[in-house]
Amino acid sequence: MCGDDSYDPVGVSGHTWHRARKRYDGCYGCECAIERGDLYHRTKTCSGGHWSTYRHCARCWAILEHLWSIGVEYVNLGLDCGEEY
């Protein structure tokens, strides 16, 4: 939720790298397809009793890690917030 502080905090989360066994419609960041055999990063979160899964290509995950490393506190996982990071 872009710019909205009323969201439920994430209670549980986990993230891991995976090799795609099938084609996924799109990276959560850039919306490019994640093809079979591609390395991608998967994040699972539970907030308000609802589980969500986010898949990022290696390039978008590197962008997210960079933003976190330079101290940007809140980064929209979709990288589509309109923010100037």
Side-chain angles (χ1 to χ4, degrees):
M1 292 187 205
C2 185
D4 184 3
D5 292 331
S6 65
Y7 66 93
D8 290 332
V10 173
V12 178
S13 67
H15 54 91
T16 54
W17 285 99
H18 292 273
R19 179 88 43 200
R21 288 189 270 175
K22 67 175 191 173
R23 183 183 191 275
Y24 291 102
D25 288 335
C27 164
Y28 193 69
C30 66
E31 299 181 3
C32 292
I34 296 173
E35 300 293 341
R36 185 174 185 257
D38 287 353
L39 190 62
Y40 72 96
H41 193 273
R42 184 174 69 196
T43 304
K44 286 189 158 196
T45 62
C46 182
S47 178
H50 174 74
W51 282 95
S52 299
T53 301
Y54 306 95
R55 292 177 183 88
H56 289 90
C57 65
R59 177 184 58 185
C60 286
W61 190 255
I63 292 169
L64 287 167
E65 285 187 323
H66 173 71
L67 292 171
W68 291 321
S69 75
I70 62 172
V72 178
E73 284 186 38
Y74 176 75
V75 179
N76 184 301
L77 290 177
L79 294 173
D80 61 355
C81 200
E83 298 289 331
E84 290 187 20
Y85 299 114

